[in-house]
């Protein structure tokens, strides 16, 4: 893939940690999965606006979770479907 370039790795022994804009993480995770890395071995760091830090204000709600108390790092397998939900 264009994102992974000429990187050589063993998918079964790979753990990937992704951070950055969600669109970049989505395509990077897609390419890692296409290369054989399973979604439970891919982790994403979600950077959402956190105000209260205790899950009360809702500013950082991500699906049914709150980034401030349940994250900010998630297994991609657990949040993959949310990466394809368009924000309004």
């Amino acid at each position: 893939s264009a994102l992974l370039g000429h990187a050589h790795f063993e998918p079964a022994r790979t753990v990937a940690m992704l951070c950055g804009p969600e669109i970049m993480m989505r395509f990077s995770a897609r390419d890692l999965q296409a290369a054989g890395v399973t979604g439970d071995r891919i982790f994403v760091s979600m950077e959402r606006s956190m105000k209260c830090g205790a899950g009360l204000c809702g500013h950082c709600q991500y699906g049914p979770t709150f980034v401030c108390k349940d994250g900010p790092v998630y297994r991609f397998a657990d949040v993959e479907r949310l990466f394809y939900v368009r924000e309004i």
Side-chain angles (χ1 to χ4, degrees):
S1 79
L3 291 175
L4 294 178
H6 299 287
H8 298 284
F9 56 90
E10 294 180 47
R13 297 184 63 195
T14 298
V15 174
M17 307 288 207
L18 307 177
C19 65
E22 288 180 37
I23 188 79
M24 183 187 77
M25 290 191 292
R26 184 176 79 199
F27 285 104
S28 296
R30 179 199 66 190
D31 287 358
L32 285 163
Q33 288 176 314
V37 181
T38 59
D40 64 326
R41 298 180 64 83
I42 301 170
F43 294 84
V44 293
S45 180
M46 302 308 299
E47 298 173 14
R48 295 282 172 118
S49 175
M50 291 183 260
K51 292 196 179 207
C52 72
L56 300 174
C57 72
H59 281 93
C60 67
Q61 187 168 0
Y62 190 59
T65 70
F66 295 90
V67 173
C68 69
K69 68 178 192 166
D70 301 311
V73 177
Y74 293 87
R75 283 185 194 276
F76 187 69
D78 296 336
V79 297
E80 181 174 5
R81 65 180 173 75
L82 297 172
F83 269 69
Y84 298 98
V85 174
R86 186 176 177 166
E87 289 185 56
I88 52 172

